[in-house]
Amino acid sequence: MARALRTLVVDDEQPVLDELVWLLGRDDRIGTIDTARSGTEALRRLDVGDIDLLFLDIAMPGLTGIDIARLLDKFKSPPQIIFVTAHDAHAVEAFDLNAVDYLLKPIREERLRESVRRAVADAVTGAGDPDDTIAVELAGVTRFVSRSQVTHAEAQGDYVRLHTLDGSSHLIRTPLGSLAEEWASAGFLRIHRSLVVNRAHILEVRMSSGRASVVVPAVGGRTSELQVARRHTRALRELIGEHTP
C-alpha cells in the first residue's frame, strides 16, 4: 500500500465514535482519522476531498448515512464507504450504493479489520471495478466476460465455471480459492468449498433449520438456489446484517 488510508468516522453517538476511532487507531493501515457527529458536518469535511475511507452510521438525525452515500455518488472521487449501524434493514440498499462493507454494532475488532482489508484491496488494485473483464475461450475464440455479469462461480476440478446473467457459462483454469480471494473486494462471497457468489446478484437469502441458501438469477426469468455450507453461514448472515447466536 502506498500510504495509509485517510479516514472519516461519522456517528451521532459519541461513545460509538470514540470506540471506532480507538479501534481504527490500532490498525497501521489507517492514517489520519477525522470525526463528524452529523451528516451535515460530514459533508462539509468531505467537500475538502482528501478522504479515502468513510465509516458511516445510517440512523442519524437530519441527513442519514444512506442520504450521504447517495450524495457522494455525485463526487468526482468519492471515498470508499463502510456502513456501521445497529440496524440491518438497509443492508441490501447499502450494497446497491457500492459500500465496501456493512458492519453491525457492537463492532468486533476482527470484523473491523476485515473491512479495512477489503478497503485496502480496493485502493491498491482497483478490484472493486465491476467492469473488469475475464478472457474466456469458446470454440477456439477468445471472448471477454464482464465480471459484473457473473452471478456465481463453481469449482470443477482444476477449473472454475463462471455462470452469467445471460445464462451462459465459461470454464477458466484457476483454483476457486484463488479466485475467491482475488474477487472478495469486488463483492464475491465464498459460500461453499465449491461455490463463490456475487452478492450484487443475490435475490434472496433463505434460512431453514439453521441451514442457508441464496437465490440468484438464471436465464429466462428463472432463478437458481445455491446451498451455503455451515462453515460459511455466519459470514453470510453478517453480510446481510443478521445477528448470529
Side-chain angles (χ1 to χ4, degrees):
M1 185 171 61
R3 58 174 172 77
L5 298 175
R6 298 166 297 193
T7 303
L8 175 63
V9 182
V10 185
D11 200 297
D12 63 319
E13 298 179 6
Q14 190 65 49
V16 176
L17 204 61
D18 293 341
E19 181 183 22
L20 261 175
V21 169
W22 183 77
L23 290 173
L24 290 169
R26 292 159 54 90
D27 193 324
D28 59 11
R29 296 168 297 184
I30 298 295
T32 58
I33 304 173
D34 288 348
T35 62
R37 290 283 304 275
S38 71
T40 301
E41 184 182 351
L43 284 177
R44 283 199 295 265
R45 179 64 188 84
L46 289 164
D47 275 339
V48 178
D50 61 351
I51 296 297
D52 302 308
L53 181 59
L54 175 63
F55 286 86
L56 188 58
D57 187 21
I58 288 182
M60 295 186 293
L63 287 173
T64 68
I66 297 294
D67 293 334
I68 295 170
R70 288 186 179 131
L71 291 170
L72 286 176
D73 193 47
K74 299 178 174 61
F75 280 44
K76 183 178 180 180
S77 299
Q80 297 178 90
I81 299 172
I82 295 173
F83 285 106
V84 183
T85 178
H87 306 281
D88 60 8
H90 298 284
V92 174
E93 188 175 10
F95 286 117
D96 284 344
L97 292 166
N98 297 317
V100 172
D101 211 344
Y102 187 96
L103 300 179
L104 282 174
K105 302 173 185 176
I107 301 301
R108 294 184 291 115
E109 184 170 11
E110 62 271 24
R111 185 69 176 84
L112 179 63
R113 291 186 65 85
E114 170 60 18
S115 292
V116 174
R117 185 200 66 77
R118 295 181 187 182
V120 169
D122 280 2
V124 172
T125 68
D129 183 356
D131 294 326
D132 281 359
T133 56
I134 306 98
V136 297
E137 295 290 332
L138 184 63
V141 177
T142 300
R143 294 182 55 198
F144 292 92
V145 175
S146 296
R147 182 168 57 186
S148 60
Q149 298 299 301
V150 176
T151 60
H152 60 289
E154 179 182 11
Q156 292 191 353
D158 294 331
Y159 292 81
V160 168
R161 182 170 294 279
L162 305 178
H163 297 267
T164 62
L165 287 172
D166 65 4
S168 63
S169 66
H170 310 277
L171 280 176
I172 58 173
R173 191 178 180 89
T174 186
L176 185 70
S178 298
L179 181 142
E181 183 176 350
E182 181 182 348
W183 288 12
S185 59
F188 285 77
L189 179 70
R190 187 77 173 262
I191 61 170
H192 192 278
R193 62 184 176 85
S194 62
L195 285 172
V196 173
V197 66
N198 186 345
R199 69 190 187 199
H201 296 311
I202 294 177
L203 301 175
E204 297 178 17
V205 176
R206 297 174 179 172
M207 302 294 300
S208 177
S209 302
R211 300 303 299 268
S213 63
V214 297
V215 177
V216 297
V219 69
R222 297 189 296 270
T223 59
S224 295
E225 185 173 358
L226 310 174
Q227 295 300 312
V228 181
R230 287 189 184 276
R231 65 188 294 256
H232 295 290
T233 298
R234 180 183 176 88
L236 176 68
R237 294 175 72 179
E238 286 193 343
L239 175 67
I240 64 173
E242 179 175 336
H243 288 290
T244 53

